[in-house]
Amino acid sequence: MKAPEFELDFRPAHGEAVRVAKGVQRITVNNPGPFTFHGTNTYIVGHKSVAVIDPGPDDDAHFHALMNALQGREVTHIAVSHTHSDHSPLVRRLAGETGATVVGEGPHRAARPLHAGEVNPFAESSDMDFVPDLALPNGARVEGDGWSLTAVATPGHTANHLAFALDTTDILFSADHVMAWATSIVAPPDGSMAEYMASLDKLLERDDRLFLPGHGGPVNEPASFVRALKAHRKMRERAVLERLRAGDRHIADMVKVIYASTDPRLHGAAALSMLAHIEDLIEQGRVETEGPPALNSVYRLA
């Protein structure tokens, strides 16, 4: 299985409502960066009565662009895929303006408890104030005029991550779980590699033909792309084991080799990804360390 072929040719059309499928528009926030690509995608689903998926950060220009695109239409629901600060904070302003029902998996939480002395590196990037009006378990459905969305629990990137299936179509709003431009960040304690991989398997059991992600353009052949993502993660897992066999004992040393060609601005996230892999390998009984696994722990093969 070859590595995923990432698609970097994406024109964000910041502030404009772009039709991406029948009854679906995308507006991309002008918040580009190493973790957001060209910006966060907000989706409008429906015609006269609509749902907004991932309203984005609390950004004035994006709020006005969104309200302009929504003019003359009723917003009945605001659906939030997860609670990172580039996806959910604008929900409060939008809900206050429209009176829409806010739906999501639940408040922000870590995938596991923090170890003694551990700091959550993504705490400041998380929307700790988010509380949905309606909590959606896996398989729950919300409906509007001519559309319905089904929640697909996809933990891994965050513990409360949801994708949304647009019922009676072959479209899945995959948020940050699967994106065409890059792999998703899985960073403990917010994220869990074991849960992320299980969520990829869940998507492979579905028959969606189009993913509309939280950043970048669509994933047009999702089944083959998800299989390639799985293979990529398994390759990273093997690379960790190979570095341990070669004598590396610290995550920082592994990152220097495994991510030698990666933008240095992403090495911090890469180290957290290594930690996520190692936590999973420890659970599998293949790697050992003294005490709880951490970025500065000493690791060895089991």
Side-chain angles (χ1 to χ4, degrees), residues 45 248 261:
V45 179
D248 286 353
S261 61

Side-chain angles (χ1 to χ4, degrees), residues 111-125:
R112 59 159 174 79
L114 269 69
H115 303 310
E118 184 181 20
V119 176
N120 185 345
F122 277 84
E124 293 185 2
S125 302

Side-chain angles (χ1 to χ4, degrees), residues 82-279:
H82 66 294
T83 44
H84 280 157
S85 59
D86 57 322
H87 286 261
S88 60
L90 194 64
V91 71
R92 291 175 282 280
R93 192 171 174 186
L94 184 61
E97 188 73 23
T98 64
T101 299
V102 177
V103 301
E105 195 270 354
H108 191 84
R109 68 182 189 281
R112 59 159 174 79
L114 269 69
H115 303 310
E118 184 181 20
V119 176
N120 185 345
F122 277 84
E124 293 185 2
S125 302
S126 302
D127 181 5
M128 298 298 186
D129 296 325
F130 176 81
V131 179
D133 298 320
L134 177 64
L136 297 182
N138 182 61
R141 179 178 294 175
V142 293
E143 299 179 347
D145 182 16
W147 58 265
S148 67
L149 295 170
T150 296
V152 181
T154 45
H157 176 62
T158 61
N160 66 352
H161 194 285
L162 292 178
F164 295 99
L166 183 56
D167 299 330
T168 73
T169 76
D170 54 10
I171 296 172
L172 182 81
F173 297 94
S174 58
D176 283 11
H177 185 60
V178 176
M179 301 176 289
W181 75 283
T183 56
S184 179
I185 295 171
V186 181
D190 264 20
S192 162
M193 188 60 69
E195 290 186 343
Y196 176 82
M197 296 296 283
S199 294
L200 289 181
D201 286 335
K202 178 187 286 190
L203 295 192
L204 286 174
E205 295 171 359
R206 300 176 53 83
D207 58 358
D208 306 297
R209 301 297 179 87
L210 179 70
F211 285 1
L212 296 175
H215 306 275
V219 179
N220 292 303
E221 297 182 4
S224 60
F225 190 76
V226 170
R227 285 193 291 269
L229 284 178
K230 280 193 64 180
H232 175 76
R233 296 291 184 173
K234 287 296 184 182
M235 179 191 69
R236 289 292 193 220
E237 181 181 275
R238 289 194 298 272
V240 170
L241 295 172
E242 288 169 3
R243 292 315 307 163
L244 289 171
R245 290 190 192 98
D248 286 353
R249 293 292 176 263
H250 296 90
I251 286 176
D253 296 326
M254 298 181 204
V255 169
K256 290 176 184 176
V257 177
I258 296 173
Y259 290 90
S261 61
T262 300
D263 185 340
R265 294 179 300 170
L266 299 177
H267 278 194
L272 290 166
S273 180
M274 290 289 94
L275 177 59
H277 277 293
I278 288 171
E279 286 187 345

